[in-house]
Amino acid sequence: MPSVQTPYEHIILDTKGTPIIEGTTMKVVELVVEKIAHGWSAEEIYFQHPYLTLGQIYSALAYYA
């Protein structure tokens, strides 16, 4: 799948222009929705999604912000 690198490490745009976490199929917005809906910290998101690194999580949250 062709993708476009963004200025945010770990975040790429898929062919539709949707930001996703590089190496996964998780969209940035999915992570942000979990943070807002559950009030989770980055560390709690990491606990819930151990296949992500804290670097990927923080990069996704920064990209969204």
Side-chain angles (χ1 to χ4, degrees):
M1 153 174 49
S3 60
V4 177
Q5 189 66 34
T6 67
Y8 290 85
E9 188 175 1
H10 307 296
I11 305 302
I12 58 173
L13 301 178
D14 67 8
T15 55
K16 296 178 183 178
T18 304
I20 62 172
I21 298 174
E22 189 172 21
T24 73
T25 58
M26 179 167 275
K27 297 175 185 175
V28 169
V29 70
E30 293 172 333
L31 201 78
V32 171
V33 166
E34 287 184 353
K35 178 173 178 37
I36 293 169
H38 301 292
W40 289 346
S41 66
E43 289 76 15
E44 181 63 26
I45 294 170
Y46 176 68
F47 179 77
Q48 297 296 327
H49 300 283
Y51 56 89
L52 297 174
T53 66
L54 276 174
Q56 289 172 314
I57 294 166
Y58 280 119
S59 189
L61 295 176
Y63 180 87
Y64 180 78

